Amino acid sequence: MSDTAKDKAARLLKKRGSVSSLSSHEVRPRESLNKPRDSMSTVSYIDEPGHHDDITRPAVQMENTYQLGPVRRFPVATVNNILKDVLTSYLQEEKYEAELCRQMTKTISEVVKARVKDLMIPRYKIIVLIYIGQLSDQSVRAGSRCIWNPASDTFSSYTFKNSSLFALANVYAVYYE
C-alpha cells in the first residue's frame, strides 16, 4: 500500500475518532474465503476528554422554574426494595473473588441506577455506591459526606450477606434546584 493511501486511510479514521494499526497491517480488498486475511484493529477514543473540544454545540437556553422544593418526594421504601431485589438476585449464590466482585460492583450499580431512574422522579440526581467485600473476621466502616439539604435530599441503604461475602449498597438522591 502506498504512503498516500495510508495517509488517506489514517485521515478518514481520525475523522471518525479512531486510530488504526495501519503500519502493521495493510488494507486489502476482500479476497476469496479460502485464503487467510490480515486484520486491521481499530480503537475508538470517543469517550476521552479533549477530543470533543472542536465540536461546537448550540447553547441550551433554559428558563428559571423558581421551584425550590420537590413536587414529589424520593420514595425511600421503593428504592430499598430495589436494592434488596438486585443485591439478592446478583449475589445470592456468588463466592468472593476479587476480580469478579470488582466487575459485579460496576454491574450492580448500573442496574440499580437504571431501575431507580425508571421511577421517573424529576429533578433528583442519583448517586449509587456499592461495596463488596470478603466475609471473614474483620470489620468495615464506610462513611460519606456531602452538602445536604435535609428537607429535600435523602438516601437509601441496604446490606446483604451470604456465606462468603458482604455487600453494602447506598443510593443518594440529591435534589436539583
Side-chain angles (χ1 to χ4, degrees):
M1 177 179 261
S2 68
D3 289 335
T4 55
K6 285 183 184 179
D7 291 339
K8 185 176 180 181
R11 272 187 273 123
L12 287 173
L13 289 172
K14 188 174 183 180
K15 284 182 183 177
R16 291 186 198 151
S18 301
V19 174
S20 174
S21 60
L22 288 176
S23 61
S24 62
H25 301 285
E26 292 197 358
V27 178
R28 296 179 186 166
R30 185 174 257 182
E31 297 174 1
S32 68
L33 295 175
N34 296 337
K35 295 180 182 177
R37 297 179 302 192
D38 290 336
S39 65
M40 186 172 95
S41 62
T42 303
V43 178
S44 176
Y45 293 103
I46 196 75
D47 291 335
E48 291 194 8
H51 286 76
H52 301 287
D53 296 340
D54 55 346
I55 300 172
T56 58
R57 294 185 182 155
V60 177
Q61 293 184 359
M62 300 177 82
E63 295 184 20
N64 292 333
T65 62
Y66 303 106
Q67 181 179 346
L68 298 178
V71 176
R72 184 174 142 208
R73 290 283 302 174
F74 189 77
V76 175
T78 306
V79 175
N80 277 341
N81 291 335
I82 290 172
L83 290 174
K84 181 180 179 180
D85 180 43
V86 171
L87 287 178
T88 304
S89 65
Y90 275 85
L91 299 175
Q92 185 69 40
E93 301 296 324
E94 293 295 327
K95 300 291 183 195
Y96 181 80
E97 295 175 22
E99 251 338 282
L100 175 68
C101 289
R102 179 183 301 171
Q103 293 301 319
M104 290 298 279
T105 57
K106 293 176 185 177
T107 303
I108 290 172
S109 65
E110 290 172 3
V111 169
V112 167
K113 191 170 188 175
R115 289 196 47 193
V116 170
K117 283 189 173 191
D118 286 344
L119 297 175
M120 303 294 287
I121 305 147
R123 300 182 69 143
Y124 273 98
K125 179 172 178 70
I126 308 299
I127 300 131
V128 179
L129 297 175
I130 307 290
Y131 303 95
I132 299 177
Q134 185 175 11
L135 193 61
S136 59
D137 296 329
Q138 84 271 8
S139 72
V140 174
R141 291 184 183 221
S144 57
R145 297 171 59 170
C146 70
I147 298 174
W148 197 261
N149 181 359
S152 58
D153 302 336
T154 188
F155 73 98
S156 181
S157 184
Y158 181 75
T159 305
F160 173 83
K161 289 182 183 179
N162 69 11
S163 62
S164 69
L165 59 84
F166 71 91
L168 171 65
N170 291 327
V171 174
Y172 299 97
V174 181
Y175 183 72
Y176 275 146
E177 291 183 349

